[in-house]
Amino acid sequence: MTAATHSTLFPQVPETADAVLDGLDPEQREVALALSGPVCVLAGAGTGKTRAITHRIAYGVRAGILQPASVLAVTFTNRAAGEMRGRLRQLGAGGVQARTFHSAALRQLQFFWPKAVGGDMPRLLERKIQLVADAAARCRIRLDRNELRDVTSEIEWAKVTQTVPADYPAAVAKSVRDAPRDPAEISQIYALYEQLKRDRSVIDFEDVLLLTVGILQDRHDIAEQIRRQYQHFVVDEYQDVSPLQQRLLDLWLGDRDNLCVVGDASQTIYSFTGATPDHLLNFRNRHANATVVKLVRDYRSTPQVVHLANGLLSQARGRAAEHRLELISQRDPGPEPVYTEYADEPAEAEGTARRIRDLIAAGVPAGEIAVLYRINAQSEVYEQALADAGVPYQLRGAERFFERQEVREAGIALRGAARAGGNDSLLDDVEDLPAQVRAVLSTKGWTTKPPSGSGAVRDRWESLAALVRLAEDFARAKSGATLSDLVAELDERAAAQHAPTVQGVTLASLHAAKGLEWDAVFLVGLTEGMMPITYAKTDEQVEEERRLLYVGVTRARVHLSLSWALSRAPGGRASRRPSRFLKGLRPGSGSLGSVGVTGSGGIERGIAGGRRKPRGPVLCRVCGATLTEAGAMKLMRCEDCPSDMDEGLYERLRDWRSEQARELAQPAYCVFTDKTLMAIAERVPTTDGELSSIAGVGIRKLDRFGADVLAICAGGEGGAGGGEV
């Protein structure tokens, strides 16, 4: 029995109602046979939930229990609704309505408007952003393009949570939202926006739901007519319903209970839009006689991927975590998830591109591979790395980096400054290239400190910050580079990535990956501050970040790679830490407790010349305890275990390090940290191999400083060295 991911293009329609049930597992079959009363299907990732509910509807129709026209199935995207309609047709259940909440409500609103209100229905506003801009202007509040998008999103959130303009500031405070502007200002814009809509006889998409709710509440005859039409309801992705959608669903139902809901609280990742899992979690409280079925047989992912997903959720906290599902893989074993630590972001991108190239060479189609990251601004370095590696790619849910409006505007500004040269007053007293770029981009919204919260303003800042970092890296790589040189470099990169769209590796944010799956998934940038994101401050926000990572993990069928970089740029300070969500999952990061992670893969260090073998837990060489702290792992012993360090050698190494730092014009820790010097003085290596086995001595530092360090350890003084780190 299987919920196969791949099927033939034109499957044969089952000959009988009983044939519809063929191939369902016991739990899916139970869902299909539960055709009356309230039904709650708790369906984990990859467990065949769409298969279960479409076969349920089809079985009911084919068995004569349900009339096709009496069933309304609702979900959240047109793609999901289309897929559901297609599957129902293949099962011989055409005629069933499968729609999004908005399209179902709009159809009803258009039909009943003449009867309920009279006259022509107001025009539907396809894009509300211009009207929000008009409202802001009338309030004498200046909003740039990105602030406008964020304020528009806030108005949408307020409406789906049924918050009126006057109550918006209090609602923001209660929900601990990061408002993009003063809540009082947004409240003012929101109120005038609503007034302008009335003046211009237009409605927005949220109004479609609100007006339908209003008509059904006020006109019992219309509500009864709809209830006579639709007697059985199915709601997919129920964890994502907003209070307004739930209110509409209640009105559709009336006092009946023929409702089947399907969801997974562990995949709630859209709370910023008003979605809440409370309706799913409270379903059994509202419907005491509900049939509850749990789907936990995972047909998508290998046991290794499922094991990691379960381990990730085992550490979750909060109400959603109390209802988590323990998945059981139905697939044959596959490769272990790979954890890779890189020195810097470019190395992480290049290492990822190398691995992808290897997978493609081994027969994995490029279209079955994805690179997933937390925010869209992370895409540029992966776009470049894949382009350099000759790997085709496509972006999902975001424009290509060099096609983004803010990046195009920044390019124009930089080109203008380069042409003006010394005649641009903006560059007066600004000497080096990075400082010039920062000065120019400061006119486009870049600041030394990122804006608080998420949204379009933050996205814009991240794109500009990526250009600043690119300028810093370019100047470091090419001494004496000018602003004109940088502009030429940007033009070359843009040209290389403006090729026609091809079917290739998918680059996407974790949010955009929801509902999709690939044979191989690379989860990148998994550091504190990015996962969880820095503006996730409350426990609830942090737990949603954990669920977002869980969604990313469960997108993988076979190959799964998780990686992070210790610094942003080559040669930078290794100050970053792996995501807290990986603690207990990656080897050497502590115990997971009741959920073991035996066979959960290993940590690889990303290096230029090849790969090291996966490392297991790091043990103290004195007492044998598992080491989890970075400093202790460098020393290979617990901090409080006895040290056998050669004090004289340690001091000689410190003196040598000071000379190197002066010569390189860098802080001493850029040569070696104190902990690394202590580890060297304790272990007194005599060969390159012994020295490279010490944490903090990578390939580049071994090549640059290895001979000096080994000479000092042997009793010599060490040379002056030369070149770059």
Side-chain angles (χ1 to χ4, degrees), residues 240-367:
D240 288 334
V241 296
S242 69
L244 178 56
Q245 289 164 333
Q246 180 62 48
R247 181 62 185 139
L248 177 59
L249 180 61
D250 289 341
L251 288 165
W252 282 340
L253 274 167
D255 58 0
R256 302 165 302 168
D257 62 0
N258 282 328
L259 169 66
C260 174
V261 301
V262 188
D264 179 8
S266 296
Q267 296 188 66
T268 305
I269 59 173
Y270 294 110
S271 65
F272 59 90
T273 67
T276 171
D278 289 347
H279 306 298
L280 176 66
L281 299 178
N282 292 335
F283 191 84
R284 282 169 287 186
N285 296 335
R286 297 183 64 189
H287 303 279
N289 62 329
T291 298
V292 179
V293 183
K294 294 183 179 180
L295 302 183
V296 296
R297 300 174 195 250
D298 188 317
Y299 298 96
R300 175 187 299 159
S301 305
T302 63
Q304 288 76 10
V305 173
V306 168
H307 191 67
L308 174 55
N310 287 337
L312 181 61
L313 281 192
S314 75
Q315 305 175 71
R317 300 292 180 266
R319 192 165 178 231
E322 295 170 3
H323 297 266
R324 63 179 174 265
L325 300 168
E326 186 94 4
L327 300 178
I328 304 170
S329 176
Q330 305 299 298
R331 296 192 56 157
D332 292 334
E336 298 288 349
V338 176
Y339 300 85
T340 311
E341 182 176 278
Y342 292 94
D344 50 66
E345 286 181 7
E348 183 178 12
E350 291 163 8
T352 300
R354 265 198 314 275
R355 288 175 179 272
I356 289 173
R357 193 171 54 192
D358 292 344
L359 281 176
I360 294 173
V364 180

Side-chain angles (χ1 to χ4, degrees), residues 117-138:
V117 182
D120 295 330
M121 194 181 91
R123 179 174 59 87
L124 181 62
L125 195 64
E126 294 290 340
R127 296 181 71 252
K128 60 174 68 70
I129 197 163
Q130 184 56 55
L131 207 58
V132 175
D134 293 346
R138 294 198 182 191

Side-chain angles (χ1 to χ4, degrees), residues 64-123:
I65 300 170
L66 303 178
Q67 294 301 312
S70 73
V71 180
L72 177 59
V74 289
T75 186
F76 285 83
T77 67
N78 289 320
R79 180 185 61 80
E83 179 186 357
M84 193 178 293
R85 286 193 297 270
R87 291 200 189 191
L88 289 169
R89 282 195 301 271
Q90 293 167 0
L91 293 169
V96 172
Q97 292 294 314
R99 297 181 174 274
T100 65
F101 270 102
H102 281 89
S103 66
L106 179 59
R107 193 175 189 215
Q108 293 172 16
L109 192 63
Q110 290 170 331
F111 184 83
F112 289 110
W113 187 272
K115 180 178 180 180
V117 182
D120 295 330
M121 194 181 91
R123 179 174 59 87

Side-chain angles (χ1 to χ4, degrees), residues 387-398:
D388 291 345
V391 175
Y393 67 88
Q394 56 186 334
L395 270 78
R396 181 179 181 88

